[in-house]
């Protein structure tokens, strides 16, 4: 019998380097399976429908909620995001590691919905000062937007302690190694 797979939610404040860690973790795991979320947000120029997201209008998204097709969903910056339940459950039953990139609440919701199948990992910066420096360097926000974002990030900080693992991203290789160790250890225990 194939051992059950695992849902791994890797989340963290913006600017922590989540995207890079996700890419490295997926590349290192042959059994990784990518879930494609539904969203009402418009595609960015580089994004492909069905690959990055399934881009739908709001009535279609609301119908998916009503039909019970989503494992969880959230509203983020005015848009809806949700994870189709059947493909994810099928992938776990087939022994796949489903790596999910969610915001804080989505991560905690998945843990609540599938407590025995989910590992939640919080990626945190070495300090708020370092995060501020990285966000400034990234330069995607103006001063006011950056200040607002930092306020949200500071308010969220205590909630990351509710995750199964908290990993500090001060060195990329070490951080990816710790994420992979946490996944391997959880799978061994199942
Ligand atoms: P973006 O618009 O930048 O692609 O995504 C915005 C936020 O939505 C990110 O924090 C991303 O992790 C989160 N997100 C993407 N898909 C889902 C989903 O299916 N469920 C939840 N809860 N969050 C999602």
């Amino acid at each position: 019998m194939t051992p059950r797979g695992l849902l791994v939610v890797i989340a963290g404040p913006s600017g922590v380097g989540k995207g890079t860690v996700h890419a490295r973790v997926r590349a290192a795991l042959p059994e990784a399976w990518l879930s494609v979320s539904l969203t009402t947000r418009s595609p960015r120029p580089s994004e492909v429908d069905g690959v990055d997201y399934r881009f739908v209008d709001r009535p279609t998204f609301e119908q998916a909620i009503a039909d019970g097709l989503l494992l969880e969903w959230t509203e983020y910056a005015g848009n809806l995001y949700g994870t189709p339940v059947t493909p994810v459950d099928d992938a776990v039953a087939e022994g796949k590691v489903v790596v999910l990139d969610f915001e804080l609440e989505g991560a905690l919701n998945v843990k609540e919905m599938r407590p025995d199948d989910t590992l939640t990992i919080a990626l945190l910066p070495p300090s708020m000062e370092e995060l501020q420096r990285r966000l400034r360097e990234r330069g995607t926000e103006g001063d006011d937007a950056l200040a607002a974002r930092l306020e949200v990030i500071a308010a969220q900080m205590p909630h990351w302690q509710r995750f199964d693992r908290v990993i500090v991203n001060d060195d990329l290789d070490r951080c990816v190694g710790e994420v992979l160790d946490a996944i391997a250890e959880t799978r061994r225990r199942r």
Side-chain angles (χ1 to χ4, degrees), residues 13 15 19 23 42 56 69 80 88 92-93 105 108 123 125 130 134 157-158 165 175 189:
S42 312
V56 297
L69 299 181
L80 301 174
V88 164
V92 172
E105 224 157 275
L108 293 172
L123 293 185
E130 173 60 16
R134 289 184 198 172
M157 274 302 172
R165 299 292 178 103
C175 174
R189 278 196 273 111

Side-chain angles (χ1 to χ4, degrees), residues 10-12 18 22 35-39 41-42 44 47 52-53 61 72-77 79-84 100-107 109-110:
I10 308 174
K18 239 183 350 164
H22 265 272
S35 163
V36 181
S37 295
L38 246 58
T39 184
R41 160 165 91 56
S42 312
R44 296 176 185 140
E47 288 178 330
D52 299 285
Y53 284 106
F61 195 104
E72 60 76 51
W73 62 275
T74 194
E75 181 145 18
Y76 182 91
N79 291 303
L80 301 174
Y81 298 82
T83 302
L100 300 166
D101 176 350
F102 286 178
E103 35 60 70
L104 179 111
E105 224 157 275
N109 285 342
V110 172

